[in-house]
């Protein structure tokens, strides 16, 4: 078995370790929770997988089989227990052009290559990049997901062909999901809502949209598939851009979701293993003709928050139940009213939203820059329907605002003047520079010195400063050049360690002062 190096970030002991499958098997109550959670997730996966298949332009079974193989595989090789991976909208949007323009064989080849790329990226330590995602971006990510989950339900609620009976059914589902846990926690409330509403619709004989209206369910098991594509550079050049985009989007969504589950469950996960596991899961999915996938925030929240699952068993059973439901019980599953699933997903969106982050009292206390980052992440994600774009823009915004804030912390002061030859005039002037010098803070440094009025010798003391980049070195060179053009000498002193090494390597003009 390949040995995968664990990210140092994951070796924190501030959180507990996740529950194990053996713990669930030894506890009847915990086992019941895991089994029922898997069943609820499987029911919720069916209409979503069919919808994502439509987005990708492939038959419904392609998305359904992808959800089965992703869930079962990631339950074994993934690094975040209880997280659900399946076919997703983000992946569907990425692979839709290749499927539409070149067909299923090229789609499968793209999924396989994406899996290989995810494994390579995980071994290169991509999971460590999670430390650079600020809390405000995470909050924006969560709130954007809640909004997207809610918006995804609107087509099932509004339209000329939506019967009025849908609305009381959705309201009844919401009441059951909210009220049933107050009676007992033995059975997940979403499962109760789905069963009761389905029974009511069948007994009453009402005609409302159901799961079968979303697409035809498969009648057979998935089979191994070898894509019929030429093994040439032209093929690689065609599928590589889509495969890389799929790998990056899948890893970003999965690692962000894993971090969210860490916070919800107060346990830590192995992000490097999760990244590696996503690649393996996509390889398996591609081998069985699936469209690929990644972590699903909505179904994960159903599993973890709504149903209380905590182990890999729930993820494994979600995949197994999904296959059993669509292959052997497809006719029965097709009768489930969409109103029941809409009610479940609405409650998921309500539970996912970080309500504390949007309270007026919280917004008044938060720095405006933190709020701006959260808003940019939410708006970008909702506007593009792409979590990766939202997170990237949020991180970039956070970087720019942080650089702006740090740049204002640099101070330059005249700290001393010396009359060396005793003639009553100043012969040496010393400047003290304090702060972090990098491209944003050092650009104005060149304008802070009195080149014409300073004496023949100027000492620039950087004892309380750090040099971080070539822009700062170039600025210091420019300062020395301006003094030299006037026949004066500027010496840089006070640096040590990495800052000194950086200045010497990039400039070679360091003075010998003390």
């Amino acid at each position: 078995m390949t040995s995968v190096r664990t990210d140092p970030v994951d070796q924190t002991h501030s959180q507990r370790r996740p529950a194990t499958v053996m713990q669930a098997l030894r506890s009847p109550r915990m086992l019941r929770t895991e089994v029922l959670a898997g069943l609820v997730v499987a029911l919720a996966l069916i209409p979503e997988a069919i919808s994502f298949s439509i987005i990708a332009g492939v038959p419904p079974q392609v998305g359904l089989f992808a959800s089965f193989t992703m869930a079962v595989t990631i339950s074994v090789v993934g690094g975040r227990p209880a997280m659900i991976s399946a076919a997703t909208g983000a992946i569907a949007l990425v692979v839709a052009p290749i499927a539409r323009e070149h067909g299923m064989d090229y789609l499968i080849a793209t999924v396989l290559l994406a899996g290989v790329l995810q494994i390579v990226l995980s071994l290169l330590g991509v999971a460590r990049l999670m430390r650079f995602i600020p809390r405000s971006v995470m909050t924006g990510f969560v709130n954007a997901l809640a909004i997207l989950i809610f918006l995804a339900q609107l087509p099932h609620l509004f339209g000329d062909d939506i019967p009025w009976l849908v609305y009381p059914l959705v309201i009844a589902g919401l009441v059951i999901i909210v009220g049933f846990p107050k009676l007992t926690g033995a059975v997940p409330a979403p499962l109760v809502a789905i069963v009761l509403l389905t029974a009511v619709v069948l007994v009453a004989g009402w005609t409302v949209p159901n799961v079968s209206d979303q697409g035809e369910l498969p009648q057979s098991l998935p089979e191994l598939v070898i894509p019929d594509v030429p093994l040439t550079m032209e093929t690689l050049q065609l599928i590589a851009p889509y495969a890389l985009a799929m790998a990056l989007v899948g890893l970003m969504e999965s690692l962000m979701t894993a971090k969210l589950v860490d916070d919800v469950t107060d346990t830590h996960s192995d992000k490097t293993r999760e990244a590696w596991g996503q690649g393996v899961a996509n390889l398996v999915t591609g081998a069985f003709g699936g469209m690929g996938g990644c972590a699903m925030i909505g179904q994960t929240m159903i599993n973890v928050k709504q149903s209380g699952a905590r182990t890999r068993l729930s993820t494994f059973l979600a995949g197994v139940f999904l296959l059993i439901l669509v292959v052997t019980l497809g006719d029965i599953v097709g009768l489930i009213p969409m109103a029941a699933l809409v009610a479940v997903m609405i409650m998921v969106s309500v539970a996912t939203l970080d309500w504390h982050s949007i309270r007026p009292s919280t917004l008044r206390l938060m720095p405006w820059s933190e709020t701006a980052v959260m808003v940019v992440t939410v708006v970008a994600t909702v506007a593009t329907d792409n979590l990766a774009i939202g997170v990237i823009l949020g991180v970039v915004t956070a970087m720019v605002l942080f650089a702006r804030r740090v740049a204002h912390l640099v101070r330059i002061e005249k700290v001393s003047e010396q009359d060396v030859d005793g003639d009553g005039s100043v012969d040496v002037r010393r400047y003290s520079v304090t702060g972090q010098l990098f491209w944003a803070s050092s650009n104005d440094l060149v304008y802070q010195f009195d080149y014409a009025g300073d004496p023949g010798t100027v000492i620039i003391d950087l004892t309380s400063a750090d040099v971080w980049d070539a822009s700062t070195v170039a600025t210091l060179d420019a300062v020395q050049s301006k003094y030299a053009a006037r026949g004066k000498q500027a010496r840089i002193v006070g640096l040590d360690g990495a800052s000194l090494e950086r200045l010497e390597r990039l400039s070679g003009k360091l003075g010998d002062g003390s």
Side-chain angles (χ1 to χ4, degrees), residues 129-195:
L129 296 178
M130 285 297 297
R131 73 179 73 181
F132 297 110
I133 298 180
R135 182 70 183 180
S136 51
V137 174
M138 270 298 300
T139 303
F141 170 79
V142 170
N143 290 342
L145 284 171
I147 295 172
L148 289 177
I149 291 171
F150 180 77
L151 292 178
Q153 312 314 310
L154 296 185
H156 302 294
L157 294 174
F158 301 100
D160 296 334
D161 56 344
I162 303 297
W164 68 270
L165 285 170
V166 166
Y167 304 111
L169 286 173
V170 171
I171 293 174
L174 294 174
V175 171
I176 293 171
I177 296 172
V178 173
F180 190 78
K182 298 178 181 179
L183 301 177
T184 176
V187 181
L191 179 59
V192 175
I194 292 171
V195 172

Side-chain angles (χ1 to χ4, degrees), residues 49 51-59 62-63 66 70 86-115 117-118 238-250 253 282 285-286 289-294 385-386:
S51 299
F52 298 149
S53 298
I54 295 172
I55 292 173
V58 296
V62 175
M70 286 293 299
T88 64
I91 298 299
L93 289 172
V94 171
V95 301
I98 194 78
R100 181 175 60 250
E101 297 172 14
H102 301 280
M104 277 298 301
D105 287 313
Y106 282 87
L107 169 62
I108 294 171
T110 300
V111 174
L112 293 172
L113 180 57
L117 291 175
Q118 287 180 325
L238 176 65
I239 67 175
Y242 297 101
L244 179 60
M246 176 180 168
L248 293 176
V249 170
E253 288 205 31
N282 274 306
T285 297
M291 58 181 279
C294 62
D385 199 22
N386 190 316

Side-chain angles (χ1 to χ4, degrees), residues 124-390:
L124 292 176
V126 69
R128 285 177 291 180
L129 296 178
M130 285 297 297
R131 73 179 73 181
F132 297 110
I133 298 180
R135 182 70 183 180
S136 51
V137 174
M138 270 298 300
T139 303
F141 170 79
V142 170
N143 290 342
L145 284 171
I147 295 172
L148 289 177
I149 291 171
F150 180 77
L151 292 178
Q153 312 314 310
L154 296 185
H156 302 294
L157 294 174
F158 301 100
D160 296 334
D161 56 344
I162 303 297
W164 68 270
L165 285 170
V166 166
Y167 304 111
L169 286 173
V170 171
I171 293 174
L174 294 174
V175 171
I176 293 171
I177 296 172
V178 173
F180 190 78
K182 298 178 181 179
L183 301 177
T184 176
V187 181
L191 179 59
V192 175
I194 292 171
V195 172
L196 288 181
L197 292 185
T198 302
V200 168
V201 169
L202 293 178
V203 171
W206 293 337
T207 302
V208 294
N210 55 32
V211 170
S212 63
D213 296 330
Q214 305 302 304
E216 184 180 356
L217 299 178
Q219 303 295 321
S220 62
L221 297 174
E223 299 177 351
L224 284 172
V225 176
I226 299 177
D228 183 16
V229 297
L231 300 178
T232 62
M233 283 301 298
E234 287 76 13
T235 300
L236 181 62
Q237 291 173 355
L238 176 65
I239 67 175
Y242 297 101
L244 179 60
M246 176 180 168
L248 293 176
V249 170
L251 285 178
M252 185 176 297
E253 288 205 31
S254 298
L255 294 176
M256 293 283 284
T257 304
K259 191 173 187 301
L260 175 62
V261 178
D262 288 353
D263 294 340
V264 171
T265 62
D266 194 28
T267 58
H268 80 86
S269 58
D270 188 335
K271 306 297 189 302
T272 297
R273 178 176 173 179
E274 180 60 37
W276 175 78
Q278 288 291 327
V280 174
N282 274 306
L283 281 175
V284 173
T285 297
F288 282 94
M291 58 181 279
C294 62
M296 296 191 75
I297 181 66
Q299 277 64 27
T300 297
M301 288 298 102
I302 291 176
N303 198 43
V304 174
K305 266 196 170 183
Q306 298 285 333
S307 304
R310 290 295 182 269
T311 76
R312 300 175 185 276
L313 183 60
S314 60
T315 306
F316 177 81
L317 291 176
V320 173
F321 284 144
L322 173 64
L323 186 65
I324 294 174
L325 288 171
V326 299
V327 173
T328 64
L329 301 175
D331 293 338
I332 297 175
V333 172
L335 298 175
I336 297 175
M338 286 302 300
L341 298 176
V342 168
V344 172
M345 297 308 293
I346 288 176
M347 288 307 302
V348 168
S349 69
V350 171
T352 301
L353 190 73
D354 186 349
W355 293 96
H356 177 74
S357 67
I358 59 175
R359 291 176 182 170
S361 57
T362 302
L363 295 175
R364 284 194 298 268
L365 293 175
M366 291 290 289
W368 72 268
S369 58
E370 299 289 317
T371 302
V373 169
M374 181 183 72
V375 171
V376 167
T377 304
V378 171
V379 172
T381 300
V382 174
T384 63
D385 199 22
N386 190 316
L387 293 167
I389 292 176

